[in-house]
Amino acid sequence: MTSPSVPASVSDGLATALAPVLGAPVEITGLHKLTGGASRETWSFRANGEALVLRRDPPARPGHPGAMRHEADVMRACTHAGLRVPEVLLDDDGTLFGATGLVMRHVDGETIARRILRDDQYAAARTVLVRELAEFLAGVHAIDPDEVPGTESPDPMAIWDKYQRLDQRSAVFDRTHEWLLAHRPPHTADALIHGDLRMGNIIVRADGLAAVIDWELIHRGDPHEDLAWLCLKAWRFGQALEVGGLGSIDELVTAYEAAGGRAIDPDTLRWWLVAKTFTWGVGCMLQADTHLSGRVRSVDLAAVGRRTAEQEWDLIELLAPGACAAARAAPPAAQLPDDDDRYGRPTARELLDTVREFLTERVSTSDDRGLAYEARVAANVLATVERELAQPWTDRDGDDWATLALVVRDRLAVASPKHLSLPPTLRTD
């Protein structure tokens, strides 16, 4: 049985494509689309009782030509190298699935970061994941890039062109771009780069890493990039430890080099930390623009737009840590009281709190995981609006780091106050 929204052609195409692999006839059951995934669709199903996963481009939004084949090829190369990835059974150019895609075996485990980082079930896994991720990256970077023919070597600064096309600007991003150009390290390596290895793109079991997934950003580049991306504060999910909330950068680098990874230069790693934080910051703006332009109306995309301030703060911490320390110590903005004279009660803030309570206590507990996730996001959006109503904006003149740190601190106090208490990625004490 398939979901009513699933075209019969997809189910029939899967049965036809899998017949040579699993043996004919193939019966497809339980085909349904999973939540998550901004650029690719993920479908779960069973073929003759075996749990499989279909990953494909949305038919209306085809991906970059050849990208899905690269994804399949690199996962096969990882399998041959003994690395933990789902086994790819077949890939298709769109003839059978209605869009380019691949089919792989299902891997049991957890992908939700907050569960991996907090649940007792994964306590043992948390003690080994930094080492296992370091070993995994060392293994990927050791694969001959020619095993994935046609993989490109993108310019890490190309995101600047997308940023310049946006209406929104950031003085922090402008200054960061200048620093990146002035301190860019020489190109010294050409390895296969996962491009998005982080919490959320790994499958974890109670004893550790089960598989690395989401290879859509595979490319050639400098291994420092993969290590830096894994260390972005955005992927800590509120935890203090530098590498995905699991361990320190020193642990990661030591384990990576011990596993045969290339020597990691601290200055080059810092440059990539700045570059990838900048990239994700612009990415937050781009996702918000997708929502604001009406191309895709989404509470998730809207919420991500306000996370731009997190990346601005992290960039100032990396480039001018003293400015962040001073901004933290500066007196916070005064809080505005509720005004119940104009419209009566409940006030606007009290109404927001009531709706947020409904979302968190009623809707977010739904058995529909997609709806529950969107309810949590919507509740966070309402909390942001509630804080904004309470905090008057202070105009500050100047584009020096000290002034920018105060501006971003005020934004974070509204958008993500907990982020202000997280320790920096690179410590200066």
Side-chain angles (χ1 to χ4, degrees), residues 228-251:
W229 186 250
L230 182 57
C231 296
L232 257 62
K233 200 188 294 185
W235 315 136
R236 295 187 202 170
F237 293 88
Q239 303 299 301
L241 293 172
E242 301 154 346
V243 184
L246 298 163
S248 71
I249 289 181
D250 286 343
E251 289 178 73

Side-chain angles (χ1 to χ4, degrees), residues 34 42-46 50-54 75 79 83-88 103-111 122 201-205 207-213 215:
L34 303 177
T42 303
W43 300 72
S44 176
F45 67 100
R46 288 185 174 272
E50 182 176 357
L52 302 177
V53 173
L54 165 66
M75 291 173 70
T79 298
L83 300 174
R84 300 175 206 179
V85 297
E87 180 187 356
V88 176
V103 175
M104 52 192 167
R105 296 191 191 277
H106 170 80
V107 177
D108 287 328
E110 184 58 75
T111 60
Y122 303 103
N201 283 344
I202 59 176
I203 301 176
V204 175
R205 295 182 182 138
D207 60 349
L209 181 67
V212 171
I213 57 176
W215 289 84

Side-chain angles (χ1 to χ4, degrees), residues 2 91 97 105 153 198 220 226 237 239 259 292 296 302 355:
T2 64
D91 59 273
F97 307 154
R105 296 191 191 277
S153 300
R198 58 178 174 83
R220 293 187 182 207
D226 265 341
F237 293 88
Q239 303 299 301
L292 293 169
V296 179
V355 177

Side-chain angles (χ1 to χ4, degrees), residues 126-209:
R126 290 193 288 271
T127 67
V128 299
L129 274 172
V130 170
R131 173 180 56 80
E132 292 182 333
L133 290 169
E135 293 170 347
F136 184 90
L137 283 176
V140 172
H141 298 160
I143 295 173
D144 184 348
D146 289 338
E147 290 192 40
V148 188
T151 308
E152 298 178 348
S153 300
D155 180 354
M157 298 303 297
I159 192 72
W160 179 253
D161 294 333
K162 295 181 179 180
Y163 168 68
Q164 288 187 303
R165 291 195 290 269
L166 292 170
D167 294 333
Q168 188 179 359
R169 305 295 295 180
S170 162
V172 175
F173 291 174
D174 293 341
R175 292 203 62 180
T176 298
H177 181 250
E178 294 173 0
W179 184 92
L180 288 167
L181 293 178
H183 296 84
R184 185 168 183 168
H187 180 78
T188 58
D190 182 31
L192 284 177
I193 304 301
H194 181 282
D196 199 15
L197 181 62
R198 58 178 174 83
M199 298 298 288
N201 283 344
I202 59 176
I203 301 176
V204 175
R205 295 182 182 138
D207 60 349
L209 181 67

